[in-house]
Amino acid sequence: MLMQGKNGLIVGVANQKSIAYGIAKACHEAGANLAFTFLNDALKKRVEPISSELGSDKIYELDVNNPGHFEALRENLTRDFKKIDFVLHAVAFAPKEALEGEFVNTTKEAFDIAMGTSVYSLLSLTRAVLPVLKEGGSVLTLTYLGGPKFVPHYNVMGVAKAALESSVRYLAHDLGAKNIRVNAISAGPIKTLAASGIGDFRMILRYNEVNSPLKRNVTTEDVGNSAMYLLSDLASGVTGEVHYVDCG
């Protein structure tokens, strides 16, 4: 029970196939107490059964593009936990049209939406929970190979992930003095709701399966266990890093 007695916030779980669910499940099974956020009433109906399954009745509304929600989030966490030990940031979005065609045709509106929702939200979330995050705590976000490398059909999300990874390093520097760690996990291709918006994703899955040393694709359980390590005290000396989990 590596996470026994620890409290964590999971931001961005969509359904039981999402990477955030795999991470939450691994932390719960290791003994952690969890709280969850939901974007709107439609997604609340998806988050509630997940929260219940993982032994929690703590779910809070959070639109990362609504500054007022962050203050309410901090107040809710203070009321329900007083202090938390870790937070998972699993939020990313870009308009579908920005993932099609050529990157050079990305509109400013789509670029701003992708960067604000996928990158600046990490800063907003970290800043909001900092007063309730224990010394020795951990912040974890999700990135992807499309940040450091070109991936077909990833376009503006690749640029956003590159900015996210850079943000991890700068946040790790800022929060290091408070003994708070900031890391990212870069998972290989997984069938998730977010991945469904990427063109030719089935081809990417098949290529990765055939060419990876383990001859399979990564699972949410694989990522969940690696994330649990980064969020736990076992990774007390690891910060500012991108941790790859891709069977290869």
Side-chain angles (χ1 to χ4, degrees):
M1 302 296 283
L2 186 60
M3 306 288 276
Q4 186 71 46
K6 293 190 178 296
N7 302 317
L9 174 66
I10 307 296
V11 177
V13 66
N15 54 41
Q16 291 180 326
K17 292 184 178 180
S18 68
I19 293 175
Y21 171 79
I23 295 173
K25 186 170 185 287
C27 291
H28 167 70
E29 291 177 348
N33 305 307
L34 302 175
F36 297 83
T37 68
F38 62 92
L39 173 61
N40 52 39
D41 288 340
L43 289 178
K44 182 179 182 181
K45 295 176 182 178
R46 295 182 183 178
V47 176
E48 282 179 327
I50 292 174
S51 174
S52 178
E53 174 194 346
L54 301 181
S56 174
D57 60 356
K58 308 296 189 298
I59 56 173
Y60 318 123
E61 183 178 15
L62 178 63
D63 178 348
V64 297
N65 292 310
N66 186 333
H69 282 192
F70 286 104
E71 183 177 351
L73 174 67
R74 182 170 58 247
E75 291 174 353
N76 286 328
L77 289 170
T78 301
R79 179 196 65 213
D80 292 336
F81 296 103
K82 292 186 174 59
K83 291 287 186 177
I84 62 173
D85 299 273
F86 63 88
V87 57
L88 171 68
H89 170 272
V91 180
F93 176 77
K96 184 173 176 57
E97 62 270 18
L99 302 178
E100 301 170 344
E102 296 182 325
F103 171 67
V104 70
N105 293 321
T106 304
T107 65
K108 185 178 186 304
E109 180 184 13
F111 190 93
D112 290 347
I113 290 172
M115 295 295 287
T117 307
S118 310
V119 185
Y120 191 74
S121 62
L122 175 63
L123 278 68
S124 299
L125 177 63
T126 302
R127 191 164 54 241
V129 303
L130 202 53
V132 296
L133 192 58
K134 286 183 181 178
E135 183 178 345
S138 180
V139 177
L140 183 66
T141 189
L142 303 182
T143 185
Y144 182 57
L145 182 65
K149 303 282 187 179
F150 167 78
V151 172
H153 307 295
Y154 209 51
N155 292 5
V156 71
M157 277 307 304
V159 176
K161 291 301 186 184
L164 183 70
E165 292 182 17
S166 185
S167 298
V168 164
R169 292 185 285 271
Y170 280 89
L171 284 172
H173 173 270
D174 287 353
L175 303 189
K178 296 177 171 56
N179 193 26
I180 293 173
R181 299 173 292 109
V182 185
N183 291 289
I185 274 196
S186 181
I190 299 177
K191 288 182 180 179
T192 64
L193 186 63
S196 65
I198 302 174
D200 295 333
F201 190 71
R202 290 184 180 179
M203 185 182 300
I204 294 173
L205 280 171
R206 179 57 182 161
Y207 178 87
N208 195 74
E209 179 181 1
V210 170
N211 289 281
S212 69
L214 294 181
K215 303 303 177 187
R216 68 175 178 87
N217 284 308
V218 69
T219 66
T220 55
E221 288 80 9
D222 295 325
V223 182
N225 289 332
S226 292
M228 191 266 291
Y229 154 74
L230 287 173
L231 292 170
S232 77
D233 293 338
L234 288 180
S236 60
V238 181
T239 193
E241 298 291 334
V242 175
H243 188 85
Y244 288 88
V245 187
D246 61 6
C247 295

